[in-house]
């Protein structure tokens, strides 16, 4: 099955599957190709024909990388365009 999801207004930079669930993935995105503007962390689940959004978290700067915690199933670390990392 080929599944897809469009992040309207944002371009994707990283996609990672959860190490705890093969039915959960996260996508790091940035507006305006990461040059200026906001970012969004998208939590997605595979659906029958496409990926279904579970939750969105907007940020003040673009997101360029993500990593799931290997110790806690509900934690992610993001890397922003301003050089910060957030848990």
């Amino acid at each position: 099955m080929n599944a897809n999801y469009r992040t309207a207004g944002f371009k994707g930079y990283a996609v990672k599957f959860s190490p705890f669930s093969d039915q959960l993935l996260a996508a790091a995105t940035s507006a305006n190709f990461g040059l200026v503007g906001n970012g969004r962390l998208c939590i997605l689940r595979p659906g029958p024909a496409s990926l279904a959004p579970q939750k969105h978290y907007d940020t003040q700067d673009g997101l360029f990388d993500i990593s799931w915690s290997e110790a806690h199933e509900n934690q992610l670390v993001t890397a922003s365009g301003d050089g910060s990392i957030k848990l």
Side-chain angles (χ1 to χ4, degrees):
M1 172 185 88
N2 289 333
N4 61 47
Y5 178 73
R6 293 251 183 215
T7 54
F10 294 88
K11 303 301 179 209
Y13 282 90
V15 176
K16 301 285 172 77
F17 275 94
S18 168
F20 294 95
S21 171
D22 61 353
Q23 296 294 310
L24 192 62
L25 62 115
T29 66
S30 296
N32 304 310
F33 299 97
L35 298 174
V36 294
N38 300 339
R40 179 177 284 168
L41 173 64
C42 302
I43 309 297
L44 308 165
R45 283 193 183 276
S50 65
L51 296 171
Q54 292 294 113
K55 197 95 165 151
H56 294 286
Y57 298 96
D58 291 329
T59 62
Q60 291 185 356
D61 204 359
L63 298 180
F64 294 98
D65 202 8
I66 51 175
S67 182
W68 287 92
S69 169
E70 293 183 9
H72 193 284
E73 64 183 307
N74 295 320
Q75 290 182 344
L76 283 158
V77 173
T78 61
S80 298
D82 62 1
S84 67
I85 57 171
K86 295 178 184 169
L87 180 66

